[in-house]
Amino acid sequence: FNVENDWVNFYKDAVDELPPGMPEPRGKAVSMNAFYDASHASNVVTRRSHSGIMIKVMNAPIWWYSKRQNTVESSTFGSEFVAKRIAVDMVESLRYKLRMFGVPLDGPANVFGDNMSVVNASSIGSHVLQKKHNSICYHRVREASAMGMIRCGFIPGNVNPSDMFTKILNKTKRITCLGMMVLGVYYPDRISRAERISRRAKIGTDDRPEIDW
């Protein structure tokens, strides 16, 4: 995670406000992880990008999103920022719902993407945007980071589970993404099948769906 403490110089009024009439939180706090990705200009007719998002609560995938973007972006940076802005909106909605159910939250939601430029732009307060047409998504995500609603992190593209919702993947990468989505672990191709089964048994996956590794 890339975190900087000078957000107050840029977003002084950014506060993660609690819902009015929220019940008192009870029970154990839950953590939230969101993964986002964008397939840049994947539509060969209109050259619109495709957004893919997956949100997990306590390592359980509960919300996913796969949809073509409404605008044509000229760069991967722009399409990734649009996908991240949608992910932030989904995280905000889910945090509101959990709070109204009386579920305590374990700090900010972790938002992972595989574009380091977008991660730095979202988490470094002194970053300056060079592409003005992305300013709305840019400030929406940065404000959410400033108020402590999200934490921005980087994840390699070959293990990003949200990549499944943006394009057709080959078998090897699809199985890897399924492992990240269902089990929350990454099995490199060099690990033998016997070792994969042994590792899966150690983390206790008897109540999880079986995956043919």
Side-chain angles (χ1 to χ4, degrees):
F1 291 101
N2 194 344
V3 180
E4 192 168 306
N5 296 323
D6 62 348
W7 284 112
V8 67
N9 298 326
F10 303 94
Y11 301 93
K12 297 181 180 180
D13 301 329
V15 179
D16 188 13
E17 298 182 355
L18 299 178
M22 182 186 74
E24 181 182 355
R26 296 184 178 181
K28 296 183 179 180
V30 300
S31 60
M32 187 183 305
N33 296 308
F35 303 85
Y36 68 91
D37 194 18
S39 179
H40 180 244
S42 57
N43 190 310
V44 296
V45 177
T46 62
R47 286 305 173 188
R48 293 184 180 181
S49 304
H50 202 96
S51 299
I53 301 167
M54 187 188 70
I55 301 179
K56 303 174 70 175
V57 175
M58 298 298 290
N59 208 32
I62 63 170
W63 197 359
W64 47 89
Y65 175 97
S66 177
K67 190 175 181 180
R68 184 182 60 193
Q69 296 182 2
N70 295 326
T71 58
V72 179
E73 296 296 333
S74 59
S75 64
T76 304
F77 180 86
S79 61
E80 291 273 350
F81 238 120
V82 171
K84 189 167 189 176
R85 192 267 306 166
I86 298 174
V88 169
D89 291 342
M90 294 173 62
V91 166
E92 183 180 37
S93 174
L94 185 56
R95 284 168 63 89
Y96 183 94
K97 181 179 293 186
L98 291 175
R99 280 172 168 167
M100 293 305 294
F101 284 159
V103 179
L105 301 178
D106 185 14
N110 303 317
V111 181
F112 296 97
D114 54 17
N115 189 301
M116 184 60 76
S117 298
V118 175
V119 173
N120 290 335
S122 306
S123 55
I124 298 178
S126 57
H127 183 274
V128 178
L129 179 67
Q130 302 296 332
K131 302 176 183 297
K132 300 300 181 183
H133 62 282
N134 296 131
S135 60
I136 295 178
C137 296
Y138 175 80
H139 289 290
R140 172 71 178 98
V141 173
R142 282 166 60 88
E143 188 177 50
S145 183
M147 70 175 61
M149 186 176 72
I150 65 171
R151 287 185 299 180
C152 303
F154 176 80
I155 184 173
N158 60 331
V159 294
N160 188 352
S162 62
D163 201 22
M164 294 187 301
F165 305 107
T166 63
K167 64 180 77 70
I168 299 176
L169 305 177
N170 57 50
K171 180 180 179 180
T172 302
K173 188 171 184 180
R174 186 172 66 252
I175 290 176
T176 301
C177 290
L178 283 173
M180 286 292 296
M181 182 180 73
V182 180
L183 303 178
V185 294
Y186 167 49
Y187 294 114
D189 297 335
R190 63 178 179 271
I191 297 179
S192 64
R193 175 180 173 83
E195 187 174 354
R196 293 172 185 172
I197 295 176
S198 175
R199 290 191 178 187
R200 185 170 57 183
K202 289 181 180 178
I203 62 175
T205 59
D206 296 338
D207 56 342
R208 308 255 183 109
E210 289 291 329
I211 296 179
D212 185 9
W213 297 106

